[in-house]
Structure formats: structure tokens, C-alpha cells
Amino acid sequence: MLHHVFPTPIREVDLGIDPDQFKTYLNFVEQQNWCEDFDPWGNPHGYTTKIDYKEDILSLDTLKGLATRIDLEMSNFVFNDIGIDPHAHFIERTTSWANKQRFGDYISTLLHSNSHYSGVVYLKTPKESGKINFINEQNTWTYPGLAYNLHYTNKINSSSVSFLPEQQKLLLFPSFLKHYVDKSYSEELRYSLSFNYFVKGEYIDGISYLNLK
């Protein structure tokens, strides 16, 4: 028997929200103020609403229904899937922002700093607007630095895993997990919302104690 041990969890959810209600979320996001975003080399990332680093767009009244659903799914991810004790800890969304990609835009490799768990929900996803790709940097199956010739890939030896964005799809993942988004080849705009959460409460390890309020 082959056991897959020490996995990295990614939660994928189809929100199934009423289409008319979901359209109000998209229409609201489309009307936001946008600032152009660039990667470290000056190449176009598209646009973002995150002008203030403290911004939490999901706290706005129009998006509160969507925020409540995301809070619920993140709670399931943290406390049920991963197994963190809800009697000792609680989660808090720290920031959230919207993304807009045009033809030719992409998002280069990044991780979400100052955060425990992160995610993205897709509001509008035209065909060929780019997959999201998660990168495996843990080297749990081979010695670091060895590049074998593989005759097939699977969950053990893959260097990356891709997800095709679809409207109302929600992805949740540990914030340290590096990821990038392919270049968009769609003439239509793609919209998504990204967010970060922190796990607060009492941390106890032997004689070490930490209380994050």
C-alpha cells in the first residue's frame, strides 16, 4: 500500500449562490476604484482595489453575504479539515481585495505574507483567462537539487498543481503556498476576490505560551 503523508491542503468549493445575487457582487466589484498593478520587473499584473494595505473589501455592506459564506468555508477548512481546536482558537479576516485581469495580464509567483490562511473566489472567468498554479517547494519525495526524468506525473512528484478558475469557485490554502496565474488570452475581463485570515487564540507548546488576541 502506498501512503501519501504530510500533504498540503487546498479546499475547493463551488459556492452555489443564487446567480442573480452573485451578479450583484460582480456588478459592485466592477464599479470599484482600480489601480494598475505590476510585477517586480514592471510587467502588467492587471488591476487591484488594494490601495490601502488595511483594506477589507469584503466588509462592505454589498458584499457581506459573500463574506459570511467565505467565513463559513474558511472555518470549515481550519477547524474541520485541518483540525485546529475551535475552543482554543478563532479566525479573523485581516484583509481582502479584488483583482482584474485584461488580455496579456498575469500574476507572477507570490505568497501571502503576514497571514496564516488565504484564498480566492472567482467572480467572472472567461475562457483562456489563465489558470492558477500552486508550486511544490517541499521536496518530500526526493533529495533537494536532483531533477529526475519522469515518465509520468502524479500527486507525489508534481512540481505544481493547476486549477481552472470558474465562476463561484472558492479556493482556500495555507498562506505560505506559492502560486501564480497564467497570462490571460481572453479579450474579456476576469474578476476575482482575494483574502487573508489569521488564526488567533491561545498557543501552548510545553512551557511555551502565546496568546494572540
Side-chain angles (χ1 to χ4, degrees):
M1 179 180 292
L2 180 66
H3 297 277
H4 292 219
V5 299
F6 312 126
T8 302
I10 298 177
R11 183 177 179 88
E12 180 181 11
V13 181
D14 183 356
L15 293 177
I17 297 172
D18 176 79
D20 290 335
Q21 178 62 57
F22 199 79
K23 189 175 181 179
T24 65
Y25 300 146
L26 172 60
N27 291 341
F28 179 75
V29 168
E30 288 176 326
Q31 296 167 11
Q32 297 305 300
N33 294 322
W34 296 92
C35 59
E36 196 164 8
D37 192 25
F38 299 93
D39 71 8
W41 302 275
N43 298 312
H45 266 194
Y47 293 82
T48 178
T49 61
K50 192 176 182 185
I51 300 172
D52 181 348
Y53 67 93
K54 295 180 180 179
E55 181 181 29
D56 182 12
I57 192 173
L58 284 168
S59 67
L60 301 179
D61 286 343
T62 305
L63 297 178
K64 281 189 175 179
L66 179 59
T68 298
R69 181 62 188 278
I70 292 173
D71 288 345
L72 175 62
E73 296 298 341
M74 182 62 82
S75 180
N76 287 332
F77 182 51
V78 171
F79 300 123
N80 296 336
D81 295 339
I82 297 174
I84 293 174
D85 186 355
H87 296 99
H89 299 278
F90 63 96
I91 59 171
E92 181 178 300
R93 190 177 63 251
T94 55
T95 185
S96 62
W97 62 98
N99 311 288
K100 178 171 67 172
Q101 270 75 45
R102 310 156 298 180
F103 180 92
D105 291 339
Y106 70 98
I107 298 178
S108 58
T109 302
L110 76 155
L111 55 77
H112 291 228
S113 59
N114 296 333
S115 174
H116 286 160
Y117 296 99
S118 301
V120 58
V121 60
Y122 295 101
L123 304 177
K124 183 179 179 182
T125 54
K127 291 183 178 180
E128 298 186 340
S129 60
K131 294 180 180 179
I132 183 170
N133 309 275
F134 294 93
I135 300 173
N136 175 19
E137 292 189 315
Q138 297 189 61
N139 292 316
T140 57
W141 65 277
T142 182
Y143 191 82
L146 292 179
Y148 296 98
N149 293 302
L150 302 172
H151 65 98
Y152 65 87
T153 57
N154 56 25
K155 290 183 178 180
I156 296 175
N157 61 26
S158 293
S159 59
S160 65
V161 175
S162 300
F163 289 83
L164 179 65
E166 298 175 356
Q167 190 177 57
Q168 296 214 37
K169 178 176 286 187
L170 172 70
L171 295 175
L172 306 175
F173 49 89
S175 300
F176 69 80
L177 190 58
K178 287 188 177 180
H179 52 285
Y180 64 94
V181 177
D182 297 326
K183 181 183 293 186
S184 174
Y185 290 97
S186 174
E187 297 291 345
E188 298 182 64
L189 296 173
R190 183 177 90 157
Y191 290 91
S192 62
L193 284 170
S194 299
F195 43 84
N196 294 325
Y197 283 74
F198 215 85
V199 180
K200 297 188 175 182
E202 293 188 314
Y203 291 74
I204 302 174
D205 180 18
I207 60 173
S208 299
Y209 175 78
L210 174 65
N211 189 355
L212 296 177
K213 298 181 179 180

